[in-house]
Amino acid sequence: MAAVRICVCGDEATGKSSLVTSLVKGVFVTTRIQSVLPQITIPPSIGTPENVTTTIVDTSALPQERHTLRKEIRKSNVILLVYSDHYSYERVALFWMPYFRSLGVNVPVVLCANKADLAANGSTAQVVEDEMLPVMAEFKEIDSCIRTSAKEHHNINEVFFLCQKAVTHPIAPLFDSKESNLKPATILALQRIFYLSDKDQDGYLSDQEIHEFQDKCFGKSLSDDDLENIKQSIRKYFPDSATDKGVNEKGFILLCKMFAEKGRHETIWIILRKFHYTDSLSLKDSYLHPKFEVPQYSSAELSPAGYRFFVDRFLLFDKDNDGGLNDAELAALFAPAPGLPPSWVESSFPSSTVRNEGGHITLQGWLAQWSMTTFAEPKTTLEYLAYLGFETPERGGTTAALKVTKPRKRRKRPGRVERNVVLCYVLGASHSGKSSLLDAFLNRTFSQVYHPTIKPRTAVNSVELQGGRQCYLIMEELGELEPAILENQAKLDDCDIVCYTYDSSDPDSFSHVVDLRKRFPQLEELPAVFAALKADQDKTMQRTELQPDDYTSNEKMTAPLHVSATWNSISELFVHIAEAATYPSTALPKLEEVPIDRTNLYIALGATVCAAASLFIIWKRTVAAAT
């Protein structure tokens, strides 16, 4: 909230200008003041909530000033409506509130009964019960009410504080006064906050968790007596919601409702804003989608802090300790988020990664899935880190859970690419065994049933490379979108390596690979490995000009690896693919060594000899002249 603009309205002679003057001067001004004061601005340094700049605009109720009144009302974000006697009170419901509605403004109204120093106006309790509560019940726009006296300087600061609070901490989005209950959006937000604050996920906020919550939201500790008083307040309504275990969700929601009922809704707003909620009770866009750019030829990966967070989430929600997250455990883990990421649903998660015998995602598969998500769509990972409550003492928020790799510009340069997540496109003819290869990659049982791949299918798993280093390999079968993807240069730039597959028992299978490389010559710029699948069946000669071994030898590339999805040794192929992706120069065609051009060297040597000879001749002539 950048600023609060208060429009002071009401009938003539209700004391509007006196209220403003008393605020500015600090005392009641007995001398005559002008009927309409000029606009004043209070800087944020003068004790305003949320440190906002406050502008106060005085207005006139005279008919000839109605145009100015309309303009100022529409510019304001809170209205201070002042009355001082029975007539001006009656005008609140008969004229002013309908007038505000006719202008189409949707701003809170603070109702002020001024001139409380006059005995005829009765006691405060009587005024509240007889005047204020009925009109507040009729007009829900009225946020709060207060009784003031400019002459006695009574509640002057308080009335303008209420106006500021009505804007910075509005009650309307939080509480339904008609139903006397928190609104559904408020309850959903508070349920998520309870979930994130329940660090051990036992369903209760323990005393320690409450103290941490208090420190996070309000920056100060809570005494044991205050904590016990809070629990006692909850036990009056729900005895089981505040026990030795702590306060459960029902008790936490009740406590916030009590704050709203007592006019302490700013406490709820402080909690909501500390957890990055906006005035519309949605999470801030800057929190869900922080600035995070991935330069061309670079990629995004989880940082150690990111991996640690997802490991902790998995272990916390694996309640039965079976090494996998079942449907109920996954639902509980994603409770503060809007379900699974859309890309997970599209890829038929968890079939895209490693599962245990019960079909539940394992820790290995969980980390692999997030590694793939971060690689393909880092903004989704950042969004879900926010939903799931990632926190770090370091600056940067959720972006601290990610890192950007060094650009991979020149694949032909020898050496290792600084990437721990690599993408492999699996290309080959129909029936060549691509789907079975992906199933084997995920340790699935081999199936004889053929299912053609229509839409792209991905599989991700970790691969242990030489030296014990771990790498996450994403293998993608392109399906019917293969031509479109291979024509898209941006998609090819994302790809780290291509795995060309063919059925070694089908004489027409390898010709598809040859034709593919001819149709899309840009594929030759990508590192590649060749795999002869179905090696458990009888090998046959391929109907191509060159046999696969001769073809790769002619391209000066590694010969095809003969593997079968039914062999345990197929894991060697995945290691080979990952190694080739991290050392791309080893998987590119080897060019003939070009003789070194020494022309420049010869020119430089010739120039040096000529210069030396010239110096020698000059020296010799100088010596001869001297003698």
Side-chain angles (χ1 to χ4, degrees):
M1 179 60 63
V4 173
R5 189 177 180 89
I6 305 171
C7 184
V8 185
C9 298
D11 286 350
E12 294 299 302
T14 54
K16 303 188 298 296
S17 301
S18 295
L19 285 174
V20 178
T21 306
S22 294
L23 175 71
V24 176
K25 300 292 186 180
V27 294
F28 178 65
V29 178
T30 56
T31 58
R32 180 178 176 82
I33 58 176
Q34 59 193 98
S35 57
V36 178
L37 297 175
Q39 172 182 307
I40 68 167
T41 300
I42 303 174
S45 57
I46 305 181
T48 56
E50 301 288 305
N51 291 322
V52 296
T53 299
T54 303
T55 302
I56 302 175
V57 181
D58 192 12
T59 63
S60 171
L62 296 174
Q64 59 267 32
E65 299 293 336
R66 200 57 51 88
H67 175 73
T68 302
L69 177 64
R70 284 197 302 268
K71 183 178 69 173
E72 292 299 342
I73 289 174
R74 288 193 170 116
K75 287 168 62 177
S76 68
N77 47 21
V78 61
I79 296 171
L80 175 59
L81 180 54
V82 184
Y83 73 92
S84 61
D85 54 24
H86 182 73
Y87 175 75
S88 57
Y89 166 72
E90 292 292 335
R91 292 257 301 164
V92 168
L94 294 176
F95 172 74
W96 286 107
M97 295 307 299
Y99 180 65
F100 297 152
R101 287 182 174 181
S102 70
L103 296 179
V105 294
N106 183 25
V107 296
V109 176
V110 174
L111 185 61
C112 173
N114 196 23
K115 301 186 180 181
D117 52 287
L118 299 179
N121 287 340
S123 66
T124 299
Q126 182 183 357
V127 169
V128 169
E129 184 175 354
D130 296 344
E131 297 178 359
M132 293 181 170
L133 291 182
V135 77
M136 287 183 72
E138 183 179 354
F139 299 98
K140 299 305 179 186
E141 305 95 310
I142 300 178
D143 181 88
S144 55
C145 57
I146 190 171
R147 200 171 186 220
T148 63
S149 170
K151 185 175 182 179
E152 297 179 350
H153 202 74
H154 175 63
N155 281 344
I156 299 302
N157 291 339
E158 287 76 3
V159 68
F160 289 99
F161 177 79
L162 283 178
C163 292
Q164 293 167 334
K165 196 172 72 167
V167 177
T168 60
H169 303 99
I171 185 65
L174 302 180
F175 191 73
D176 188 334
S177 56
K178 184 177 181 181
E179 299 291 336
S180 189
N181 204 352
L182 295 172
K183 291 188 175 179
T186 310
I187 294 175
L188 285 175
L190 292 173
Q191 285 174 335
R192 177 178 175 273
I193 290 171
F194 178 90
Y195 167 99
L196 296 178
S197 303
D198 183 14
K199 302 296 184 182
D200 56 7
Q201 288 298 307
D202 66 346
Y204 289 87
L205 292 183
S206 65
D207 289 357
Q208 178 62 33
E209 289 169 339
I210 290 175
H211 283 303
E212 292 175 359
F213 174 83
Q214 172 77 11
D215 185 63
K216 173 184 174 72
C217 294
F218 305 101
K220 56 184 179 181
S221 58
L222 193 68
S223 69
D224 293 339
D225 290 341
D226 289 339
L227 179 56
E228 185 57 34
N229 290 335
I230 289 173
K231 290 183 178 180
Q232 287 289 355
S233 300
I234 295 172
R235 290 193 193 105
K236 290 179 182 178
Y237 300 92
F238 303 122
D240 297 334
S241 293
T243 64
D244 292 338
K245 290 183 178 180
V247 177
N248 65 11
E249 182 186 289
K250 189 176 181 181
F252 179 72
I253 301 297
L254 172 66
L255 183 63
C256 293
K257 177 186 174 184
M258 292 163 63
F259 285 140
E261 289 174 333
K262 293 177 180 179
R264 294 179 55 192
H265 44 278
E266 69 271 15
T267 302
I268 304 175
W269 277 117
I270 291 172
I271 294 170
L272 290 169
R273 286 169 181 163
K274 187 59 68 171
F275 283 84
H276 309 284
Y277 281 91
T278 65
D279 290 350
S280 61
L281 297 180
S282 60
L283 286 170
K284 291 180 181 177
D285 189 68
S286 60
Y287 177 61
L288 291 177
H289 308 110
K291 186 177 180 181
F292 186 81
E293 299 295 334
V294 180
Q296 189 178 15
Y297 305 115
S298 294
S299 65
E301 296 180 2
L302 288 172
S303 68
Y307 277 115
R308 185 164 57 250
F309 174 78
F310 284 119
V311 168
D312 291 343
R313 290 281 97 185
F314 183 95
L315 298 177
L316 182 60
F317 286 89
D318 183 18
K319 297 297 185 181
D320 52 12
N321 295 316
D322 65 344
L325 295 179
N326 58 40
D327 291 345
E329 291 167 340
L330 270 176
L333 194 157
F334 282 102
L340 296 174
S343 59
W344 290 26
V345 177
E346 293 171 5
S347 63
S348 302
F349 172 84
S351 64
S352 56
T353 190
V354 185
R355 298 179 291 183
N356 60 17
E357 294 178 356
H360 306 143
I361 186 171
T362 64
L363 177 59
Q364 178 184 351
W366 173 251
L367 296 179
Q369 183 74 22
W370 279 114
S371 297
M372 178 173 67
T373 303
T374 307
F375 177 90
E377 40 189 34
K379 292 187 183 300
T380 297
T381 299
L382 289 171
E383 182 179 353
Y384 274 77
L385 284 165
Y387 284 132
L388 300 177
F390 174 83
E391 292 180 333
T392 176
E394 306 170 9
R395 295 185 64 183
T398 54
T399 56
L402 272 61
K403 66 177 183 179
V404 177
T405 64
K406 292 181 179 179
R408 171 188 33 75
K409 291 183 179 180
R410 301 178 182 177
R411 303 178 197 255
K412 295 180 181 180
R413 177 179 294 176
R416 188 173 76 86
V417 173
E418 296 297 327
R419 290 192 175 194
N420 296 315
V421 183
V422 292
L423 172 63
C424 171
Y425 285 162
V426 182
L427 306 180
S430 299
H431 296 271
S432 62
K434 300 187 295 295
S435 297
S436 296
L437 180 66
L438 266 62
D439 288 337
F441 183 48
L442 300 176
N443 304 317
R444 306 278 161 77
T445 304
F446 175 74
S447 173
Q448 295 281 359
V449 181
Y450 174 70
H451 297 286
T453 302
I454 306 300
K455 63 179 184 178
R457 178 197 171 192
T458 56
V460 60
N461 199 353
S462 59
V463 176
E464 186 171 334
L465 307 180
Q466 294 180 3
R469 191 172 66 87
Q470 191 179 61
C471 170
Y472 286 100
L473 175 61
I474 305 168
M475 301 189 71
E476 184 170 355
E477 186 183 359
L478 306 182
E480 293 183 349
L481 292 181
E482 182 178 282
I485 292 175
L486 296 183
E487 288 174 351
N488 188 329
Q489 188 58 48
K491 290 287 187 182
L492 294 181
D493 289 340
D494 292 338
C495 178
D496 292 281
I497 192 165
V498 175
C499 178
Y500 295 105
T501 64
Y502 68 96
D503 180 356
S504 59
S505 65
D506 180 358
D508 297 316
S509 187
F510 188 70
S511 62
H512 179 84
V513 173
V514 177
D515 293 342
L516 203 63
R517 288 171 63 86
K518 287 180 179 178
R519 284 171 52 206
F520 302 99
Q522 57 269 37
L523 287 173
E524 295 184 6
E525 300 296 320
L526 297 178
V529 297
F530 293 79
L533 302 181
K534 303 185 183 181
D536 56 321
Q537 300 181 20
D538 292 338
K539 180 181 178 182
T540 185
M541 296 289 289
Q542 296 294 313
R543 296 191 181 116
T544 53
E545 184 179 349
L546 294 173
Q547 292 303 300
D549 285 20
D550 296 331
Y551 180 86
T552 53
S553 176
N554 192 55
E555 294 284 335
K556 293 183 171 50
M557 300 178 71
T558 305
L561 270 68
H562 291 258
V563 294
S564 169
T566 61
W567 294 351
N568 291 331
S569 59
I570 195 171
S571 60
E572 296 177 5
L573 172 62
F574 306 131
V575 174
H576 177 59
I577 293 172
E579 290 279 6
T582 52
Y583 291 89
S585 64
T586 63
L588 287 166
K590 307 294 189 300
L591 300 177
E592 294 286 348
E593 292 189 6
V594 179
I596 299 174
D597 185 2
R598 293 189 171 87
T599 303
N600 291 336
L601 176 62
Y602 296 149
I603 293 173
L605 286 174
T608 303
V609 170
C610 291
S614 300
L615 288 172
F616 177 75
I617 293 171
I618 293 170
W619 173 78
K620 190 172 181 180
R621 289 179 178 176
T622 303
V623 172
T627 57

